[in-house]
Amino acid sequence: MISVNSIELEVFEAGKQNAKKPIVLCHGFPEHAFSWRYQIPALVEAGYHVIVPNQRGYGNSSCPTEVTDYDIQHLTGDLIALLDYYGYENATFMGHDWGANVVWRLAQLYPKRVNKIINLALPYQERGEKPWIEFMEEIFGGDFYFVHFNRKPGVADTILEENTAQFLRNIFRKNITPTVPEPGMLMINLARAEKSKGDPIMSESELAIFISAFNKSGFTGSINWYRNLDRNWHLLAGVNPIIQQDTLMIYGERDIIPKFERLSEFVPNVEVASLDCGHCIQQELPEETNQMILKWLERKNG
C-alpha cells in the first residue's frame, strides 16, 4: 500500500533488482492488477522493474466517494505520483482497455514522463466536436453502457454488486459466437445471465481473485471512470492531441472494439499488431502477447 496523490494505491511489484528500467502496467474494467499475471515474470526476466497498481476504485486501493475524483487528472496524477515515489523520471507504460485510455492521456498530459507506450485493445480516441457521452448517446442510444452509467447513476452499480460472481464469470469469456446484441444494457444483461456464453478465459481459482476484490470494493469506483468521460473531454481541450512516443498497439482480431484506422495521424511512431483473440488479449493469449511485447521492446531498446 503506497500513499500517493492524497490516496492509497495497492501496488504489486517485481524485479526490484532491475531498478532504472521501470515498466508500469495499467489494468482495465472490470479488472485487477492480477490480469497482468502472465506478463510480470516475462518482463522481470527481460530485465524490467515491473510496477502494477490496482488503480483508484479497484482492489484494496482507495475508493473516493466524489465522482470527479476519478477524472483523467486524478487517474494520470496517480501514475505520476507513483513514478515520483519510486524516483523515476520516466517509464514505459502498458495499458489494457481503460488502462490504455489512461496511458494515452498520460502521454498527452505528461509527455516527458512516458518513454514508450504499449497499449492493448483500446486505441487512441480522437477528441471530436462533441463530448464523448453526448456523442455516444446520439449514435448508440441510452442503453449503451457508457451512456447508461452516466444517465442512470447507481442502477448498474447495484445490479453488478448483487450479482458479482455471475457478472465476472460471464464477462471474462472467449470464443463467443457473434450474434445480434440483446436489447437492454450490456453489463446489466451480463450480470443477470444465468448461463455463460463461449469458454472461460481463466480458471475458477483465478476468477475467485477478481470476485473477492470486487466483493470488497464494489463497482461504483470503477464505474465512476466512465462518469467522467465528458468532464475529461473538457479537461483535454487545448492539450496537444499528438503523441510522439514509440508505441505498440495490439488489437484482438475478435474484439468488438473497432480498430482506429487513423491512429498514425495522432500517434505517428506507432506500430500496429494483432492477435487472433478477443478483448482480454494478455489473458487469452499470454505467450503470444509476451513474445510480441518483448520483441518490440528489445528492438526499441537497441
Side-chain angles (χ1 to χ4, degrees), residues 45 97 181 209 216 235 266-268 286 296:
E45 189 176 342
D97 184 78
I209 293 172
K216 181 172 183 179
L235 290 171
F266 295 91
V267 192
W296 184 81

Side-chain angles (χ1 to χ4, degrees), residues 5-25:
N5 203 21
S6 301
I7 62 162
E8 281 202 326
L9 289 183
E10 179 182 24
V11 181
F12 299 83
E13 182 183 5
K16 289 182 183 179
Q17 69 272 19
N18 303 320
K20 299 184 180 177
K21 201 173 176 184
I23 185 167
V24 182
L25 313 186

Side-chain angles (χ1 to χ4, degrees), residues 277-296:
C277 61
H279 183 67
C280 296
I281 297 167
Q282 76 272 31
Q283 297 185 84
E284 291 185 44
L285 292 178
E287 291 305 318
E288 293 87 340
T289 302
N290 290 353
Q291 289 176 20
M292 188 172 282
I293 289 167
L294 292 174
K295 286 179 182 176
W296 184 81

Side-chain angles (χ1 to χ4, degrees), residues 47-59:
Y48 287 88
H49 178 197
V50 187
I51 301 165
V52 195
N54 266 331
Q55 296 175 85
R56 63 170 65 201
Y58 287 87

Side-chain angles (χ1 to χ4, degrees), residues 28 31 47 50 61 75 95-96 99-101 107 110 124-125 128 139 171 202 206 211 214-215 249 264 268 276 290 292:
E31 292 189 322
V50 187
S61 294
L75 297 178
H96 171 253
N101 189 42
Y110 302 94
Y124 178 97
Q125 291 173 296
I139 301 298
I171 200 170
M202 62 188 85
E206 291 172 320
I211 294 169
F214 281 100
N215 277 336
M249 176 69 218
S264 61
D276 184 20
N290 290 353
M292 188 172 282

